[in-house]
Amino acid sequence: SILKKIRNTSDEGEEYVKDLATRFFRQQNIIKAANKILRMAGDGNIENYNQIVDTLNDALNQGMHEETGSGVFDALDETLSEEYRTTIPTGIDKIDETLEGGLAKGELGVIIGPTSFGKTSLTTAIAANAATCDANNGNGFKVLQIVFEDRLKQIRRKHLARITALNHTPVEAKDLSKPQYIQTVRDTINNYKDKEKLRKNLRIVRFPSGEKSASFIKNFIKKLANEGFKADMVVIDYFECLKMDKESNSESDWEKEGKTMRKIEAMAGDLNIAVWVPSQGTKDSLGADLVTMDKMGGSIRKAQI
């Protein structure tokens, strides 16, 4: 009867349970190691230093998966498969052409632009296209759009304005509610062919600016996956609104920016998602016809990553 119950138990949330259990057991090992270190250090014998370090490192490495590497010809069919990259199109022809289909799952795309150049409108269009495209067997992709500065109502209006443009009756987001447009807008929305696909595939979330870190975002994405919404693409609008990750209070803002961008890059690989992140340009980017990487504001490490 117990085995039958186990077989009939849903595996929903298994990754969360596995992660929780792993952290619990690793924490127990660290507590044991800490007690042992206190005993060794208690007599003040400096000769115990190396043993103390080894004990601590062993505890920290318990339960960690060790990468043993692979050979050139391992998983050859997978390596030579046309599906070696799962690309998610942006809907912008030249970008998709350059990226050979779009940004792929596991990859990080950074958009550099000056203040008020339209990064939210751009990422909103990218998010909507990914959610409603004919790729992925015609199902589109699951997209999480994270915003910090704009209100949810503003983001929804941007999406609705895009729908009117697709119907060749473009109405700007600020004009949607005006009497001369409102009925046309409602009719266009009701007749929008990808309405259900957009409803099912796109999730918009707003967090307070400067209060959420890349680590928090990663855990939030995992939480949504455990609840049934497993994102293929995540848009973080925008980098400077994140709380910067740091390891010590002595780190400079540039060091913290580099660490935060590196965590976003790692998140894309760990969770197998495509991630788009706009980032502010310098004052030299304001009047530039072409904004290149040297015009990224803040740490150059962001551009290097």
Side-chain angles (χ1 to χ4, degrees), residues 28-61:
Q28 296 306 303
N29 279 324
I30 291 172
I31 292 171
K32 290 179 184 177
N35 290 331
K36 185 177 179 181
I37 288 169
L38 286 173
R39 289 195 300 270
M40 286 190 290
D43 60 8
N45 187 353
I46 197 68
E47 296 299 323
N48 288 335
Y49 175 78
N50 289 333
Q51 188 179 354
I52 288 172
V53 171
D54 289 342
T55 300
L56 179 59
N57 287 333
D58 286 345
L60 292 174
N61 291 324

Side-chain angles (χ1 to χ4, degrees), residues 113-167:
T115 299
S116 301
F117 87 99
K119 52 187 172 292
T120 302
S121 295
L122 176 60
T123 51
T124 293
I126 290 173
N129 183 79
T132 59
C133 68
D134 292 329
N136 195 26
N137 297 319
N139 296 315
F141 294 94
K142 298 282 188 186
V143 182
L144 174 63
Q145 185 178 4
I146 299 173
V147 297
F148 293 95
E149 290 190 332
D150 293 81
R151 290 171 294 163
L152 290 179
K153 182 164 60 176
Q154 292 173 306
I155 301 299
R156 289 196 290 263
R157 288 176 74 96
K158 286 180 183 292
H159 280 287
L160 296 179
R162 175 181 177 275
I163 291 171
T164 67
L166 291 173
N167 194 50

Side-chain angles (χ1 to χ4, degrees), residues 169-188:
T169 53
V171 180
E172 288 191 44
K174 65 183 179 64
D175 295 330
L176 290 172
S177 306
K178 292 184 177 178
Q180 64 266 40
Y181 297 120
I182 187 66
Q183 191 56 51
T184 300
V185 170
R186 288 186 179 277
D187 292 341
T188 300

Side-chain angles (χ1 to χ4, degrees), residues 5 10 22 28 42 61 67 74 79 87 94 99 109 124 126 141 161 164 183 185 199 214 265 286 288 294 298:
K5 185 175 181 180
S10 168
T22 300
Q28 296 306 303
N61 291 324
E67 180 57 65
D74 292 350
T79 303
T87 55
K94 287 297 181 182
L99 297 179
T124 293
I126 290 173
F141 294 94
T164 67
Q183 191 56 51
V185 170
R199 189 200 307 275
E265 179 197 39
L286 287 170
D294 59 304

Side-chain angles (χ1 to χ4, degrees), residues 110-122 149 237-238 240 278-297:
V110 179
I111 301 164
I112 311 169
T115 299
S116 301
F117 87 99
K119 52 187 172 292
T120 302
S121 295
L122 176 60
E149 290 190 332
D237 183 18
Y238 54 99
E240 284 74 17
S279 183
Q280 294 278 24
T282 62
K283 63 180 181 180
D284 294 329
S285 70
L286 287 170
D289 292 328
L290 176 65
V291 178
T292 47
M293 286 195 293
D294 59 304
K295 293 181 177 64
M296 174 181 270

Side-chain angles (χ1 to χ4, degrees), residues 4 20 24 28 72 78 84 107 110 160 170 193 226 252:
K4 184 178 180 181
L20 201 65
F24 172 77
Q28 296 306 303
V72 173
E78 181 183 342
Y84 81 103
E107 295 178 353
V110 179
L160 296 179
K193 67 180 181 67
N226 290 330
S252 68

Side-chain angles (χ1 to χ4, degrees), residues 211-229:
E211 294 185 17
K212 304 300 181 184
S213 66
S215 299
F216 172 88
I217 298 294
K218 181 178 180 179
N219 288 329
F220 181 78
I221 295 168
K222 291 167 72 174
K223 176 177 176 289
L224 282 186
N226 290 330
E227 293 174 355
F229 188 89

